[in-house]
Amino acid sequence: MESSAPVPFPHLFTPLRLGAVTLPNRVVMGSMHIGLEDRPGQLPKLAAFYAERAAHGVGLIITGGFAPNRTGWLLPFAGKLTSAREADRHRVITTAVHDAGGRIALQILHAGRYAYHPFGVSASRTRSPITPFPARGMTGGEIRGTIDDFARSAELARRAGYDGVEIMGSEGYLINQFLAARTNRRTDEWGGDPARRRRFAVEIVRRVRAAVGDDFLVIYRMSLLDLVPGGQTFADVTALAAEIEAAGVTMINTGIGWHESRVPTIVTSVPRAAFSWATAALGRHVTVPVIASNRINMPEVAEEILARGDADLVSMARPFLADPEWVDKARQARSEEINTCIACNQACLDHAFARKRATCLVNPRAAYETELRLAPARRPLRIAVVGAGPAGLAAATTAAVRGHTVDLFEAAGVIGGQFQLARRIPGKEEFAETIRYFTRRLEITGVKLHLNHRVTAAELLDAGYDDIVLATGVAPRIPDIPGIDRPNVHGYAEVITGQVDIGRRIAVIGAGGIGVDVTTLLTHGGVRPQPVADWLREWGVADPAEHPGGLTGAQPPAPAREVYLLQRKRSQIGAGLGKTTGWVHRATLRHRGVHQLTGVRYHRIDQAGLHISVDGRDRVLDVDDIVVCAGQLPQRELHAELSAAGMSVHLAGGAAVAAELDAKRAIAEGTRLAARI
Ligand code: FAD
Ligand code: NAP
Ligand code: SF4
């Protein structure tokens, strides 16, 4: 008998029949606002972005949110679907996805009080803590009009060739605002008790289903845990699920937390699949398929959720920015080739909040498919890349893909550069995935890797390369403080790698990204990586059957050390961190009782400790050890010698500019540079 290879992820790759549409697998690409939705001229780029993912086997794609009317805009002039003309413009998207063999649903999103414009409306007059504009309470006529608008958008989505719609009812947007007592203080038929608060959502589903007919997907995204005070109880959630099922939804997608929630739900320190238990609880109350979401990024995690019966499908959004080929790689048992989303938010959500086009830190081609092309090299060259940090790895593998012959030199015994440090920070374990990805990528692209090889200019010149990329990174800055050379003063790399024993009371000089990370490491108590139950307790997430909104008080564990985190600037510590992640780091520092001092001047270090002054008042911090995290300087001593010899030399990443360097810039520079050579 012929033996056939076992299917690697049997649950993930079980097709699912949903009326007229059959999904080939259980993978949904969740809704993401890329920034290409809002201008008609950008829709062809958006189409290329979706089509690439469809071609690699995503079961169902859900678009970013389109508003059903102007008041529902997230931003002024955001994408909306209100007319036949707008619908016809979407044909470029639906045709591209269908031609690539995929299926796509349009998300209808009304921002409610999250609107970033002065015309926002909500269930009642309120202002969200994350927007400057108060929202007006809707009249009964406006509510009925908005329900009509949802139905009209759905009808137009059908006209545009979509396979379905997703009604956005989670994350604290308008429908969610009607559902929660926190934001719905009405006393008419649209508020007052949970049944009347549900009416808006249920009417929308009923009217959308009536508008599109039976053979069209109607997905409702439901907030399982609001994670805000005054959020829904679990009884409210299950009652809504039963009513929208009766009103005609095909599937229920799930969302966790409102945007204003002070519990992180998708950042890298949230354990993988941390909320699938909540989807499992919902699934017991409905017969339609349910979709799990939040911090699912690898096939093994997705398969486990499905195998346990927590959900019928999984939704992943950012992982498809990181790797358009995710589904094909999973199906072909090539998980180790997946470029994993490390949940950093740096190039996706942080860009969206800054109104820049979203892309991906580990994949700068995301949303630039038509602009950043990796065409075969016109003339294959012999290229040396020096440094196997993020910039060098990106440059070497991109150059090799284009047909160049590449030697990659790395002074250390491992690749990854500073990612070898980042991955050791509690809550940043995902950074190891990027190192794993590039390890395999070097093999596949045929880059010749030379580890433990601190290459010299003479060697490079002797070898006669056509081109050289210097990606030699950075060296830590050592501030000029008397006593900085004492034995109890350490660099961050030695501390992170555990090369030095460190006491109980610590001062950290410098509160940038690395100072905050080192403080997180030094204060972390308990097991690593943090088990889901410990994480939920630390952030005060509880069973919504007992606590409305699934929220109770945070119970952080006792810190492992007492840490003073210092900076000279007067601004808030962590102010320079990412928009969508900085608050999580600052909350963690508060949980751990870290002493945060700003406006510090450093005087000297001696046996009494670290002598500083703050606002003109002298202090001595009586600490056991001092860790220096005072930024970095470029490391590029090879550059002058190679240039003087007339070599074609390029700099990338920290070797080019150390100030405000991050991995997003390092990888983008390495990739873009190698795309040009
Ligand atoms: P590096 O990563 O410094 O790599 C340079 C490499 O060159 C090194 O491996 C070095 O050994 C090698 N090298 C140097 N000279 C030679 C030579 N002559 N011959 C051979 N090899 C040589 N960034 C983010 O964006 N987000 C984060 O959350 C984040 N967290 C961080 C946490 C920590 C604890 C640290 C330390 C850094 C973090 N960073 C983060 C910063 C990020 O890691 C760096 O921006 C990025 O690694 C810079 O990449 P690079 O390739 O330019 O340099
Ligand atoms: P950084 O963010 O530039 O911070 C350097 C810190 O050192 C600042 O707090 C600065 O504050 C202080 N400093 C600078 N010169 C000093 C001097 N001469 N004496 C004393 N203190 C001095 O750099 P970093 O923390 O080394 O991080 C490097 C890069 O990695 C960053 O650009 C960051 O983007 C990236 N990173 C990002 C994350 C993330 O979560 N996104 C995490 C880690 C690292 P004062 O000048 O006010 O004292
Ligand atoms: Fe994931 Fe970071 Fe890429 Fe966003 S930028 S998709 S969070 S790896």
Side-chain angles (χ1 to χ4, degrees), residues 643-660:
S643 302
M647 273 303 305
S648 169
V649 195
H650 313 269
L651 293 166
V657 182
E660 291 177 21

Side-chain angles (χ1 to χ4, degrees), residues 267-347:
V267 302
T268 193
S269 53
V270 177
R272 290 175 173 183
F275 297 102
S276 71
W277 55 273
T279 311
L282 174 75
R284 293 191 273 277
H285 294 264
V286 290
T287 59
V288 291
V290 292
I291 309 173
S293 70
N294 288 63
R295 286 293 283 119
I296 304 167
N297 61 349
M298 287 298 279
E300 293 74 9
V301 186
E303 178 70 13
E304 220 177 289
I305 290 171
L306 299 179
R308 250 196 331 259
D310 286 2
D312 302 288
L313 301 97
V314 289
S315 168
M316 290 170 285
R318 298 171 298 169
F320 286 106
L321 286 172
D323 196 336
E325 298 178 33
W326 194 104
V327 174
D328 272 350
K329 288 177 179 173
R331 198 184 53 243
Q332 295 158 7
R334 292 158 54 215
S335 280
E336 81 283 10
E337 290 178 33
I338 290 178
N339 195 1
T340 305
C341 165
I342 58 173
C344 65
N345 284 359
Q346 286 175 240

Side-chain angles (χ1 to χ4, degrees), residues 7 27 68 78 88 120 158 172 198 234 336 380 429 451 516 534 611:
V7 181
V27 182
D88 292 342
R158 188 174 182 132
R198 287 197 291 275
F234 196 58
E336 81 283 10
E429 291 81 6
L451 290 174
V516 170
D534 292 4
H611 296 251

Side-chain angles (χ1 to χ4, degrees), residues 409-421:
F409 296 95
E410 169 53 53
V414 286
I415 66 161
Q418 292 176 65
F419 265 35
Q420 289 288 357
L421 301 176

Side-chain angles (χ1 to χ4, degrees), residues 388-550:
L393 289 167
T397 52
T398 305
V401 159
R402 295 190 53 231
H404 297 303
T405 302
V406 183
D407 281 308
L408 174 61
F409 296 95
E410 169 53 53
V414 286
I415 66 161
Q418 292 176 65
F419 265 35
Q420 289 288 357
L421 301 176
R423 72 173 178 85
R424 291 180 156 90
I425 304 299
K428 276 191 154 173
E429 291 81 6
E430 293 284 5
F431 283 60
E433 296 286 7
T434 305
I435 300 173
R436 183 265 309 145
Y437 164 75
F438 274 117
T439 303
R440 182 78 185 108
R441 193 83 189 132
L442 292 174
E443 290 167 6
I444 293 170
T445 56
V447 171
K448 193 157 181 224
L449 175 64
H450 309 264
L451 290 174
N452 298 307
H453 195 141
R454 181 171 286 280
V455 76
T456 62
E459 252 180 287
L460 292 169
L461 291 170
D462 281 354
Y465 289 105
D466 299 309
D467 230 315
I468 296 176
V469 176
L470 291 182
T472 41
V474 292
R477 177 187 286 122
I478 305 186
D480 186 15
I481 304 170
I484 195 84
D485 51 356
R486 289 180 66 85
N488 67 336
V489 183
H490 316 287
Y492 59 80
E494 302 148 56
V495 172
I496 295 172
T497 51
Q499 289 170 48
V500 288
D501 281 336
I502 201 135
R504 309 293 303 171
R505 283 166 58 81
I506 314 291
V508 175
I509 294 181
I514 292 177
V516 170
D517 274 355
V518 165
T519 304
T520 304
L521 171 75
L522 293 176
T523 52
H524 185 86
V527 185
R528 286 173 55 186
Q530 203 174 15
V532 172
D534 292 4
W535 183 89
L536 295 172
R537 200 174 316 110
E538 170 161 2
W539 288 94
V541 182
D543 184 353
E546 288 162 27
H547 302 273

